[in-house]
Amino acid sequence: MKLRTLLAVSSIITLLYQPVRAQEYGTAVGVRLGSLTAGFNVKTFLNTSGAIEGIVGIGHHSVTITGLYEKDHPIHSAEGLNWYVGAGAHVGFFDHHGTYLRYKYKDEKYYVYHDEDNAVVPGVDVIIGLEWKIPRAPLTLGVDLKPQIDFHHGAHSYFDAAFNVRYIL
């Protein structure tokens, strides 16, 4: 019984302890076309699987700056394809002019009203996505889902999905 347990544990450790080698580049810059904002992003690897990503998103009467820490994981059956998950924070700068349209979903318009003309809105983000480093080209293509929570006059959650194109420096 002890031998079987030892073999099972060592087999599991051997299977799980695969060297993570997701990094196929150092730094890349590009555009992020999201459902809530569109803008620019930069992703740089700190080591073979950990990366930081910065996003500047421009939306309806707003600019949002986001910083994320991401962990990349290779999909071994597809060359250059990685999935990643991460978390971070953002700060949004809104020019409200009273009522403004935050987003539209299935013909429903969601408005947020603030009395002040401008607001600085902090928040938190999580992200999960897929990124493909195109073989023999200095480009990556990606898609992600990025739920976020704004903390302004209460907590308000939003769901953002995006397509990314980055140029590898």
Side-chain angles (χ1 to χ4, degrees), residues 6-22:
L6 181 62
L7 285 173
V9 169
S10 63
S11 296
I12 290 170
I13 290 172
T14 302
L15 288 174
L16 293 178
Y17 184 73
Q18 297 293 327
V20 177
R21 177 106 174 99

Side-chain angles (χ1 to χ4, degrees), residues 46 50 55 65 100 102 106 109 129 161 166:
L46 305 172
I55 302 169
I65 300 170
Y100 74 101
R102 176 63 172 162
K106 292 186 180 180
K109 294 179 181 176
R166 293 189 191 108

Side-chain angles (χ1 to χ4, degrees), residues 49-68:
S49 65
I52 54 173
E53 181 175 358
I55 302 169
V56 176
I58 301 167
H60 188 76
H61 295 286
S62 67
V63 173
T64 304
I65 300 170
T66 305
L68 300 162

Side-chain angles (χ1 to χ4, degrees), residues 107-123:
D107 296 327
E108 295 263 345
K109 294 179 181 176
Y110 293 88
Y111 293 93
V112 176
Y113 182 78
H114 298 284
D115 292 331
E116 68 268 17
D117 286 337
N118 299 303
V120 177
V121 180

Side-chain angles (χ1 to χ4, degrees), residues 60-157:
H60 188 76
H61 295 286
S62 67
V63 173
T64 304
I65 300 170
T66 305
L68 300 162
Y69 176 78
E70 300 168 354
K71 207 67 165 152
D72 284 44
H73 306 277
I75 298 175
H76 297 291
S77 59
E79 180 185 352
L81 187 62
N82 297 315
W83 71 275
Y84 58 92
V85 63
H90 68 268
V91 61
F93 303 93
F94 294 88
D95 181 14
H96 297 299
H97 299 294
T99 304
Y100 74 101
L101 175 66
R102 176 63 172 162
Y103 62 93
K104 184 177 176 183
Y105 177 71
K106 292 186 180 180
D107 296 327
E108 295 263 345
K109 294 179 181 176
Y110 293 88
Y111 293 93
V112 176
Y113 182 78
H114 298 284
D115 292 331
E116 68 268 17
D117 286 337
N118 299 303
V120 177
V121 180
V124 294
D125 305 72
V126 294
I127 192 166
I128 186 167
L130 286 171
E131 182 178 61
W132 180 49
K133 164 42 182 98
I134 300 173
R136 297 175 300 282
L139 293 174
T140 69
L141 301 176
V143 293
D144 67 59
L145 301 173
K146 189 173 75 62
Q148 63 190 50
I149 299 173
D150 286 346
F151 299 106
H152 187 66
H153 299 296
H156 306 280
S157 61

